[in-house]
């Protein structure tokens, strides 16, 4: 499959964006003082569900970003 230049860059940007957003979210989740993420110092179900969402998003963001990166590299070889 051949990706166009805009699609390749979009996928790469989406992968980077996903990492930036979810790293920020996990940092905020760990520092949570509202009582949602931790109850007496122990992680709650809220914490585990959102950590799982972040991990899945890291994986998907990485996969999408790598596809975009490969598309950009392939286009540079052709040009």
């Amino acid at each position: 499959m051949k990706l166009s230049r805009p699609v390749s860059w979009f996928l790469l940007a989406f992968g980077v964006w996903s990492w930036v957003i979810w790293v920020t979210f996990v940092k905020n989740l760990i520092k949570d003082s509202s009582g949602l993420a931790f109850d007496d110092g122990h992680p709650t179900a809220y914490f585990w569900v959102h950590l799982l969402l972040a991990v899945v998003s890291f994986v998907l963001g990485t996969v999408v970003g790598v596809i975009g990166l490969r598309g950009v590299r392939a286009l540079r070889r052709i040009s």
Side-chain angles (χ1 to χ4, degrees), residues 6-22 56-66 68:
V7 170
S8 296
W9 280 107
F10 174 78
L11 294 175
L12 181 59
F14 180 85
V16 171
W17 174 258
S18 180
W19 269 86
V20 169
I21 292 301
W22 286 101
V56 169
S57 294
F58 286 141
V59 171
L60 293 176
T62 300
V63 169
V64 168
V66 167

Side-chain angles (χ1 to χ4, degrees), residues 37-64:
F38 296 98
D39 185 23
D40 292 329
H42 300 291
T44 62
Y46 176 90
F47 174 84
W48 291 115
V49 166
H50 286 83
L51 186 62
L52 177 64
L53 287 171
V55 169
V56 169
S57 294
F58 286 141
V59 171
L60 293 176
T62 300
V63 169
V64 168

Side-chain angles (χ1 to χ4, degrees), residues 1-9 11-12 64-79:
M1 175 170 53
K2 196 172 187 181
L3 298 175
S4 68
R5 187 175 310 277
V7 170
S8 296
W9 280 107
L11 294 175
L12 181 59
V64 168
V66 167
I67 291 169
L69 180 62
R70 291 179 72 187
V72 168
R73 285 184 177 170
L75 289 168
R76 286 188 177 169
R77 276 187 242 128
I78 294 170
S79 299

